Amino acid sequence: MYSFSVTDFENWRTIARTLLQANVDPSNVSWQPPEQQGLFSPSALEAIIDPAKSVRSSGTHKIPRQFLQRAKQAACFSDMKDPARKWSILYSLLWRIVHYGNGTLLLTSDPEVRCLDSMCKAVSRDKHKMKAFVRFQQVANHNVAVTGQECPEDGAEYYVAWFEPSHAIVESVAPFFVKRFTGMHWSILTPGGCAHWDMEQLTVTEGVPKPDIDTDSFDIFWKAYYCNIFNPARLKEQAMRSEMPKKYWKYLPEAACIHDLTRGATAVTEQMIDAPTTNSDRAREKSRIVAQFQNTLRLKNRIDPDTDNFSDTPP
Amino acid sequence: MDVLQKLEILADAAKYDASCASSGTESRNSLKTKSIGSTSPGMGICHSYTPDGRCISLLKILLTNFCLYECAYCVNRTSSNVPRARFSIDEVVNLTMEFYKRNYIEGLFLSSGIIKSADYTMEQVVAVARKLRLEHRFGGYIHLKTIPEASPELLAEAGLYADRLSINVELPSETSLKRLAPEKNAQSIVRSMANLSSGIEEYKESRKLARKKANKKLIAPKFSPSGQSTQMIVGADTSNDAIILRKASQLYKSFKMKRVYYSAFSPIPDASSELPLKSPPLVREHRLYQADWLLRFYGYGIDELTDVTNDSPSPGMLSLDVDPKLAWAIRHRDAFPVDLNRADFETILRVPGIGVINARRLVAQRKVAALRYQDLSKLRLPVEKLKYFVTTIDHRPKPAQLDAANFSSLFVAQKSQQMNLFE
């Protein structure tokens, strides 16, 4: 029995490659989370290779790129109960691909394939939600205590966001933010790692606890927009909650408005329906300019009754 | 009036436009321009959701809600007593930039009431986009509402900056448009859609040619890379669903619309005496979206989906109780059950509860092993609905069930569930 503690995808890949070359069956490997000391350190890997046992003399296997991409995605998955389970599933699938062919991944009802699928889906959803729900605040002074970053020159704008992704995705999502906010100096802080962009260089640092960031007064504009773009006559609270689960609300300044908007919606709608209507000629009667303008347009739009039909096809 | 008050008025004025899409444009980022903004050809990002279940992807506002037109359904019509405001060009540009920098939005959707003249108004709208693109090198998404009567030069410039241009067809028939929106002109709307369509096509073709000849110089000036869309109001006039869907099909076919949006006529503050208010027909709107999908991707005909039987209580309408695909199946029970192990792909696609992806999966899987009833639940298909319509090697619905007079009532339980979901 071999035991390995794995830190990240590249680390797993190195170990897995060696194990495959040595033809080690997945049932003979125990995978451990990084904090536990493995029986074999990666440096001892070379020792387990027995050239005589090697499946192929070249020692390399053709692994479908699609599997490697999905494995890399799944490697971001954090499983609170069993943090190293992903590594053992990945190795087992890798082993099966090498021994039974690429078709292994097509077995959609196979438990390991299903597990890989659901890990990838969870990570991909988490990434998508992070891109959507990270909210930057402009901080007045470059707060070294908050981000551990160096000060830019005085007066430069600096944006900071706090977010808690469910999976270890900061490193893989950071390039998205770089491409989008290239001309901004920013930091995204999370408990599992932080990403910093100084308009030249992306730096990834250790995670931090939730910092105190002063609220950016600009969120009053955003809240005003949020409240006024909402149509109370179409209240569908459940549809909102399924797309924007409550666990994200703490990052969203606009979430503070949800309760009042929802509670007042029915009354506002009834009020609109019951209110007296306005005569459509009101403005025409009051303003000569409006009446003139509209008369000209209406004259221009008058259509010969013979051609007035439903044929709105292009001329 | 300060910017905050203007924002309140001009966001409120823009909420009746259903579109907030930021998907399917070209791939852009800010690495070279050292500015801000990126877009992708794939899925758009919804940065928030309002309690009406709608996504907020774009800052959707009007430049002004002053308007000379008197469209009976519109909150901004000239006779309405709602408060009025007008943004300056810089105010819109700043709001867009500041919202974007905080990752609130994917970009801007700008529309406007008609002031002075079509060209004057369009010029103001274009000026906002021009400033964002040229001065701020803004790389995010821009959707501009286009005024049909504006000059071709302005449309060309709008196409240069915008990811998407759109003109609202508003109502499904010319007669309704004349009655409810007397200043609008159906022919001029159609003409402008045709102009946009040819501009979009020309740009696309030039890109194809440039790729083929490996010569970037052949690419024409950019023109609305994410195509055009339009919106139809549902429930403001008496047009039935068949008329609405026929109009939509025509628009998809003639102008290669990316989307036709259906917007349930919704209560507005200070309604016109011409058009009394009711609760918005949200279920009907939802059924139209479903039917729209079936027409475009499932090969259904309009007459197949709407109830064309003469003795029907609502001829030309989609059923509100069940979705249009299930309604079709209930009306065509003679075509069922479908043998999932033998039927061709198109026939399987017509089974209620089986979508394109699962139809493909079933056809692929049955080549490996004959399909069994439990395979359906493994694919997480809605077996409770499916079981009446399909046969597998170990399952066959009782013929009496399918023929029973009260067959459609079997789905009533599902109906009330759906009503909850979509109401």
Side-chain angles (χ1 to χ4, degrees):
Chain A
M1 190 75 176
Y2 302 100
S3 181
F4 295 97
S5 71
V6 186
T7 51
D8 56 18
F9 177 72
E10 285 308 322
N11 183 212
W12 170 83
R13 196 174 167 170
T14 313
I15 299 169
R17 195 184 289 134
T18 312
L19 289 172
L20 266 190
Q21 281 167 7
N23 204 14
V24 177
D25 189 281
S27 62
N28 287 331
V29 191
S30 153
W31 300 88
Q32 305 294 333
E35 55 274 17
Q36 280 164 33
Q37 204 54 51
L39 298 180
F40 282 76
S41 64
S43 60
L45 269 178
E46 302 303 320
I48 61 170
I49 299 181
D50 177 355
K53 273 190 180 174
S54 200
V55 234
R56 286 185 205 173
S57 52
S58 69
T60 53
H61 303 280
K62 275 235 159 76
I63 308 299
R65 199 209 308 214
Q66 189 216 3
F67 173 72
L68 284 178
Q69 279 168 350
R70 291 171 77 193
K72 201 170 177 183
Q73 177 104 310
C76 298
F77 188 84
S78 355
D79 186 339
M80 292 299 173
K81 285 186 201 133
D82 191 353
R85 181 162 163 262
K86 59 185 175 188
W87 304 124
S88 93
I89 285 169
L90 288 179
Y91 183 62
S92 173
L93 280 170
L94 183 65
W95 171 268
R96 289 168 60 192
I97 287 168
V98 168
H99 288 83
Y100 307 106
N102 298 350
T104 307
L105 290 174
L106 297 174
L107 304 169
T108 38
S109 52
D110 177 87
E112 283 178 348
V113 175
R114 279 234 296 262
C115 186
L116 175 67
D117 267 353
S118 67
M119 287 194 292
C120 288
K121 245 188 212 153
V123 169
S124 149
R125 184 179 159 84
D126 202 33
K127 280 187 188 172
H128 189 75
K129 293 294 179 194
M130 180 165 172
K131 290 175 191 171
F133 297 142
V134 153
R135 294 284 188 262
F136 283 114
Q137 306 253 19
Q138 197 185 339
V139 283
N141 285 314
H142 211 195
N143 197 334
V144 182
V146 168
T147 65
Q149 289 295 291
E150 279 178 35
C151 296
E153 65 269 37
D154 273 346
E157 289 183 358
Y158 180 49
Y159 292 83
V160 178
W162 165 252
F163 197 76
E164 293 157 283
S166 308
H167 304 287
I169 54 172
V170 174
E171 226 174 319
S172 59
V173 182
F176 166 84
F177 287 100
V178 169
K179 284 181 195 159
R180 171 159 289 203
F181 301 109
T182 318
M184 257 163 65
H185 193 138
W186 53 260
S187 295
I188 299 173
L189 312 174
T190 90
C194 304
H196 313 274
W197 173 252
D198 64 0
M199 302 205 264
E200 301 277 326
Q201 193 73 42
L202 176 70
T203 325
V204 178
T205 58
E206 297 270 293
V208 294
K210 186 180 188 315
D212 277 323
I213 311 171
D214 291 333
T215 47
D216 177 340
S217 59
F218 210 83
D219 62 7
I220 58 167
F221 289 94
W222 177 238
K223 284 181 187 164
Y225 176 68
Y226 183 82
C227 293
N228 284 284
I229 203 71
F230 163 61
N231 184 350
R234 302 181 57 108
L235 184 67
K236 282 186 199 173
E237 207 191 344
Q238 202 41 53
M240 168 195 71
R241 280 171 186 265
S242 70
E243 293 295 341
M244 194 169 81
K246 224 173 165 173
K247 67 169 175 175
Y248 295 111
W249 291 12
K250 60 183 167 200
Y251 311 112
L252 312 173
E254 68 272 25
C257 311
I258 293 174
H259 180 254
D260 286 350
L261 290 180
T262 309
R263 206 178 43 175
T266 318
V268 173
T269 309
E270 277 168 12
Q271 212 177 11
M272 283 194 287
I273 293 178
D274 296 339
T277 55
T278 300
N279 179 358
S280 55
D281 281 332
R282 186 187 68 92
R284 285 169 60 83
E285 278 156 12
K286 268 172 45 184
S287 158
R288 200 168 47 87
I289 300 167
V290 168
Q292 245 173 25
F293 175 85
Q294 292 186 337
N295 284 342
T296 338
L297 272 173
R298 285 172 197 189
L299 203 68
K300 210 172 75 186
N301 284 1
R302 204 167 63 191
I303 298 156
D304 189 11
D306 289 341
T307 57
D308 181 14
N309 52 29
F310 292 89
S311 66
D312 296 351
T313 39
Chain B
M1 193 183 284
D2 63 18
V3 178
L4 188 62
Q5 282 169 300
K6 288 186 189 178
L7 178 62
E8 285 167 353
I9 293 170
L10 294 168
D12 189 77
K15 72 171 114 193
Y16 303 97
D17 220 306
S19 167
C20 202
S22 60
S23 56
T25 186
E26 56 184 1
S27 184
R28 266 199 310 266
N29 66 54
S30 294
L31 292 177
K32 272 200 193 129
T33 60
K34 301 266 177 206
S35 174
I36 61 158
S38 64
T39 54
S40 81
M43 234 195 327
I45 299 175
C46 292
H47 287 276
S48 194
Y49 288 83
T50 38
D52 49 17
R54 288 181 157 183
C55 134
I56 300 183
S57 183
L58 304 173
L59 169 62
K60 180 162 57 179
I61 43 174
L62 298 195
L63 193 56
T64 176
N65 66 338
F66 286 104
C67 189
L68 286 165
Y69 285 14
E70 180 61 33
C71 307
Y73 48 81
C74 183
V75 64
N76 306 311
R77 68 192 189 288
T78 196
S79 70
S80 164
N81 289 308
V82 292
R84 306 277 173 170
R86 180 177 174 180
F87 273 133
S88 72
I89 288 161
D90 284 335
E91 284 166 345
V92 179
V93 168
N94 288 343
L95 276 174
T96 308
M97 293 300 288
E98 294 305 318
F99 276 15
Y100 199 93
K101 283 180 183 171
R102 284 159 183 80
N103 204 35
Y104 294 159
I105 53 168
E106 290 291 289
L108 173 69
F109 177 0
L110 188 62
S111 181
S112 180
I114 310 288
I115 42 171
K116 291 192 191 172
S117 70
D119 269 353
Y120 176 79
T121 312
M122 195 65 212
E123 161 57 33
Q124 297 283 302
V125 168
V126 170
V128 171
R130 187 192 299 131
K131 192 153 197 179
L132 278 169
R133 290 283 194 241
L134 303 186
E135 267 181 46
H136 295 268
R137 321 261 344 228
F138 175 68
Y141 194 92
I142 297 181
H143 178 164
L144 299 180
K145 181 72 55 185
T146 314
I147 298 157
E149 286 78 14
S151 71
E153 292 76 24
L154 278 171
L155 286 195
E157 198 185 354
L160 198 59
Y161 310 131
D163 289 283
R164 174 168 291 181
L165 296 176
S166 66
I167 300 168
N168 284 354
V169 58
E170 308 290 16
L171 294 160
S173 80
E174 201 169 318
T175 323
S176 303
L177 193 75
K178 257 177 80 181
R179 189 168 65 79
L180 296 174
E183 284 83 34
K184 293 207 176 193
N185 182 322
Q187 267 122 33
S188 125
I189 290 174
V190 165
R191 211 175 305 125
S192 294
M193 283 177 172
N195 284 343
L196 291 187
S197 174
S198 63
I200 291 163
E201 240 3 69
E202 205 178 298
Y203 173 60
K204 258 196 198 159
E205 287 304 316
S206 78
R207 286 187 60 130
K208 260 189 221 156
L209 187 73
R211 207 176 311 134
K212 208 167 140 194
K213 303 226 162 155
N215 182 358
K216 277 192 175 173
K217 283 183 187 150
L218 295 173
I219 299 179
K222 197 177 281 183
F223 196 88
S224 191
S226 182
Q228 65 170 323
S229 61
T230 190
Q231 169 169 292
M232 231 186 297
I233 300 163
V234 175
D237 66 346
T238 53
S239 303
N240 66 23
D241 293 343
I243 293 176
I244 292 174
L245 290 170
R246 202 158 289 129
K247 181 76 203 176
S249 302
Q250 216 179 55
L251 292 168
Y252 281 121
K253 222 167 97 190
S254 311
F255 309 120
K256 297 212 171 96
M257 289 283 163
K258 275 284 171 72
R259 280 296 289 279
V260 173
Y261 290 94
Y262 305 95
S263 176
F265 178 56
S266 168
I268 48 174
D270 194 30
S272 162
S273 50
E274 312 259 291
L275 200 59
L277 297 177
K278 308 173 276 204
S279 286
L282 296 183
V283 180
R284 184 178 176 203
E285 179 194 276
H286 180 65
R287 295 288 179 239
L288 282 167
Y289 276 115
Q290 290 178 317
D292 178 284
W293 205 257
L294 293 175
L295 290 171
R296 286 191 292 150
F297 305 115
Y298 285 71
Y300 284 82
I302 294 165
D303 290 344
E304 286 184 298
L305 293 178
T306 51
D307 201 345
V308 285
T309 43
N310 284 332
D311 55 344
S312 152
S314 48
M317 294 298 279
L318 298 166
S319 160
L320 292 179
D321 298 343
V322 293
D323 70 78
K325 198 175 172 188
L326 180 57
W328 178 86
I330 291 172
R331 283 199 300 273
H332 295 85
R333 276 175 260 172
D334 49 320
F336 295 96
V338 165
D339 185 345
L340 290 180
N341 282 305
R342 282 159 203 251
D344 59 19
F345 178 75
E346 281 73 23
T347 312
I348 294 179
L349 215 48
R350 294 226 163 190
V351 176
I354 299 182
V356 176
I357 290 169
N358 280 316
R360 259 188 226 136
R361 278 194 190 138
L362 289 170
V363 173
Q365 268 198 22
R366 73 185 183 187
K367 285 183 192 146
V368 185
L371 294 167
R372 298 182 157 273
Y373 190 60
Q374 63 165 13
D375 289 325
L376 305 181
S377 44
K378 270 193 196 156
L379 283 171
R380 302 218 179 98
L381 287 168
V383 277
E384 277 310 305
K385 178 152 86 174
L386 266 183
K387 64 182 177 191
Y388 306 107
F389 298 103
V390 296
T391 60
T392 58
I393 52 168
D394 56 347
H395 167 77
R396 186 166 216 11
K398 293 188 195 90
Q401 229 166 12
L402 205 57
D403 295 334
N406 65 346
F407 180 64
S408 55
S409 68
L410 287 170
F411 305 97
V412 170
Q414 288 172 359
K415 166 198 144 186
S416 57
Q417 227 174 20
Q418 279 186 347
M419 299 289 251
N420 285 338
L421 265 174
F422 300 116
E423 269 294 346

